[in-house]
Amino acid sequence: MGIWTQRRHSQKIQRQGDHRTPYQRDKARILHSAAFRRLQAKTQVLGIGMSDFYRTRLTHSLEASQIGQGIAAQLKSKYAELTQHLDLNDTLIEALCLAHDIGHPPYGHGGEVALHYMMRNHGGFEGNGQTFRIVTKLEPYTANHGMNLSRRTLLGLIKYPNYLPKLNQPSQEQDTMSYRDVKASLWHPPKGLYECDQASFNWLFEGVSNHDTQRFMQFKHTDKSHHKTLYKSFDCSIMELADDIAYAIHDLEDAIVMGIVNQSQFFREVAETLLKLDIDWMDQNIEALSEKLFSQHHHERKDAIGALVNCFITNIEITEITPEFEQDLLKYNAVFPPAFSQALSIFKDYVYNRVIRKPEIQMLEYKGQQIVMELFQAFASDPQRLLPDNTSQRWLKANEAGNGHRVIADYISGMTDGFASKLYSTLFMPSSAVVGEKLG
């Protein structure tokens, strides 16, 4: 596994008595980064209420990391030899889960659509691509290589290993319209990396054969939607399962507590569908769990949430997805058996349709989309006048290389919801006070 612990920039930092592994260092760099801290002020489900209970992207990431550790422990006990051969590392999985959302812009998918629209002629924008850019370039841990994480950690963070322009299916919509007419459904970005970060990707695959690299970058062509990449690494597959479980089960808990969903609707749309899947545990428990989930007693709801999470974690398997890969980290993935994959999809679809798609929440996403596009337009109109000093310097340098818009996208995507909102007021509202804080 020698190549996997290497870093792009070989720092000569000697800290007395530091016995940490490379992955413990990676986790520390992620935890102490500004990008990670900002997740506390980016909501997981926008506008879910005025309560202080609901999840932010930070608490979601912490929960995903806890679930990721649970998955790793399960797999080590089920597949002792194989996980030892693959060198499955709990701290690495924890680090991946903590970092997986740091590229998300303010206002959830509204912000992502807005930035992709504004970057449509400049390489596009996508949250996962931005995560890779933050850890390899933007987070100022080193002069030029971001957090300078080890190779295996970077590999685990790449969910979609190809570049946006290659995966992009151009929108049929004309882009001469008013920002208010931009339809989110037509401007969702493809999922992938930015071409301007190609050097980081190339370095990552230096120790991997050409055959494996080319296969790993393959994607499925589709006529009507964006093309989709086909492969992810073993560690990434665990992180993604942890993320999905956290989203489907824990976000459901928020929706229940906030009164957004009710028991009869849940039973009709989730429980009854689950009963058709012939999963013994679900057949025996889902009715009692439905009662507990909507119980007035918090401890009963917590018990039901814990039982559901445990059910999904304990049924994960390791499969040889693609024997053609030479590199074992690409050959194997953690997966759900088909019935459990369908079961989790039922929960995810329910949260999406009953929570995310609610008009009140979509209005907030739409509002965020407008704020982000207006901010982008303002900064792009006169970057040296409006951008903070250090961002302005970065813009000057990037603009000489024809990539100035990317620096504006970096700046805006790093903002929290509240900071973007305040900045909007400062720029466009007549009597707004000047924003005191600075985001660089």
Side-chain angles (χ1 to χ4, degrees):
M1 290 285 177
I3 65 158
W4 294 114
T5 53
Q6 289 170 1
R7 301 178 191 280
R8 193 165 177 201
H9 176 61
S10 55
Q11 291 159 295
K12 299 286 184 277
I13 300 172
Q14 289 299 318
R15 295 209 167 99
Q16 198 176 351
D18 187 350
H19 301 296
R20 292 175 301 166
T21 67
Y23 304 129
Q24 286 171 328
R25 288 179 184 175
D26 287 351
K27 179 187 156 190
R29 290 175 191 191
I30 290 159
L31 263 177
H32 293 293
S33 67
F36 181 74
R37 281 198 305 280
R38 287 192 192 113
L39 294 175
Q40 69 187 309
K42 294 185 181 187
T43 34
Q44 175 67 0
V45 175
L46 280 179
I48 205 166
M50 293 307 291
S51 153
D52 59 1
F53 165 90
Y54 60 87
R55 289 168 164 84
T56 63
R57 286 214 182 260
L58 181 74
T59 54
H60 162 77
S61 301
L62 293 170
E63 282 170 339
S65 123
Q66 188 62 34
I67 292 168
Q69 288 175 71
I71 296 171
Q74 276 292 325
L75 295 177
K76 280 180 176 177
S77 119
K78 272 194 214 168
Y79 302 90
E81 280 183 36
L82 182 55
T83 49
Q84 201 170 355
H85 171 69
L86 293 168
D87 200 16
L88 173 56
N89 184 291
D90 298 35
T91 311
L92 167 64
I93 300 301
E94 213 182 331
L96 297 178
C97 293
L98 291 172
H100 82 278
D101 259 357
I102 60 174
H104 276 279
Y107 303 111
H109 289 294
E112 189 175 53
V113 163
L115 286 170
H116 182 55
Y117 180 76
M118 300 308 282
M119 291 294 289
R120 64 198 180 279
N121 301 321
H122 305 278
F125 179 91
E126 197 268 332
N128 298 286
Q130 192 66 21
T131 295
F132 185 71
R133 184 168 169 78
I134 287 169
V135 297
T136 56
K137 198 176 193 88
L138 301 181
E139 191 64 42
Y141 196 89
T142 57
N144 301 307
H145 301 305
M147 292 187 201
N148 196 33
L149 302 176
S150 57
R151 213 182 228 117
R152 182 160 173 176
T153 305
L154 290 179
L155 178 70
L157 284 172
I158 296 181
K159 287 191 191 182
Y160 309 103
N162 210 313
Y163 302 105
L164 294 193
K166 284 193 176 167
L167 301 166
N168 194 43
Q169 192 72 282
S171 174
Q172 302 308 305
E173 193 163 280
Q174 298 303 306
D175 49 349
T176 50
M177 61 190 76
S178 141
Y179 291 158
R180 299 215 168 154
D181 294 333
V182 172
K183 275 197 177 66
S185 58
L186 296 175
W187 288 101
H188 279 299
K191 291 180 181 294
L193 305 169
Y194 305 144
E195 277 189 328
C196 58
D197 295 324
Q198 206 161 347
S200 301
F201 186 82
N202 291 345
W203 173 81
L204 172 55
F205 279 87
E206 263 175 18
V208 178
S209 73
N210 223 5
H211 163 273
D212 272 12
T213 306
Q214 284 175 351
R215 175 173 277 282
F216 193 57
M217 293 179 76
Q218 284 176 359
F219 52 87
K220 187 171 81 179
H221 288 261
T222 50
D223 290 336
K224 295 216 166 84
S225 58
H226 298 307
H227 309 318
K228 291 184 171 68
T229 57
L230 297 166
Y231 304 112
K232 57 182 74 69
S233 70
F234 173 62
D235 302 312
C236 183
S237 70
I238 296 175
M239 173 261 276
E240 206 160 31
L241 291 176
D243 182 25
D244 281 352
I245 294 170
Y247 166 78
I249 309 299
H250 286 302
D251 286 12
L252 168 67
E253 184 184 5
D254 276 359
I256 291 168
V257 173
M258 297 296 165
I260 293 175
V261 294
N262 63 56
Q263 190 173 348
S264 62
Q265 176 204 76
F266 176 84
F267 196 80
R268 202 171 54 247
E269 294 176 26
V270 178
E272 287 182 1
T273 324
L274 287 170
L275 288 169
K276 294 174 189 161
L277 294 179
D278 280 341
I279 297 172
D280 284 348
W281 187 87
M282 288 286 183
D283 292 349
Q284 289 162 26
N285 293 286
I286 194 63
E287 290 189 33
L289 285 172
S290 301
E291 290 294 329
K292 280 185 166 183
L293 281 172
F294 290 87
S295 164
Q296 295 309 301
H297 304 293
H298 291 332
H299 67 275
E300 289 195 346
R301 188 183 63 248
K302 278 287 174 208
D303 181 47
I305 291 288
L308 283 167
V309 169
N310 183 65
C311 164
F312 283 108
I313 288 176
T314 51
N315 281 284
I316 290 170
E317 301 170 344
I318 298 179
T319 303
E320 191 177 19
I321 294 279
T322 318
E324 294 84 353
F325 280 120
E326 295 157 22
Q327 176 54 248
D328 286 341
L329 286 178
L330 307 181
K331 200 180 278 187
Y332 294 96
N333 271 189
V335 297
F336 283 123
F340 283 88
S341 188
Q342 285 173 277
L344 197 69
S345 290
I346 291 166
F347 280 100
K348 281 170 70 176
D349 292 348
Y350 182 69
V351 169
Y352 180 73
N353 293 321
R354 288 292 177 184
V355 183
I356 311 289
R357 293 297 307 161
K358 272 180 89 72
E360 305 90 292
I361 287 173
Q362 286 306 308
M363 279 183 192
L364 287 164
E365 275 203 7
Y366 177 81
K367 180 183 179 182
Q369 189 179 310
Q370 301 307 311
I371 288 172
V372 168
M373 287 190 285
E374 299 263 7
L375 286 177
F376 198 109
Q377 185 185 32
F379 290 128
S381 72
D382 203 342
Q384 288 186 267
R385 180 183 177 195
L386 297 175
L387 288 172
D389 292 346
N390 53 354
T391 311
S392 177
Q393 294 304 313
R394 282 206 302 274
W395 177 86
L396 260 179
K397 205 168 157 188
N399 199 48
E400 284 168 16
N403 204 23
H405 273 58
R406 179 61 64 198
V407 172
I408 298 172
D410 290 340
Y411 177 54
I412 295 175
S413 73
M415 295 177 184
T416 61
D417 303 2
F419 185 89
S421 172
K422 268 195 268 185
L423 203 50
Y424 180 89
S425 296
T426 304
L427 279 167
F428 302 114
M429 300 294 173
S431 61
S432 180
V434 173
V435 175
E437 60 182 303
K438 246 189 178 185
L439 182 76

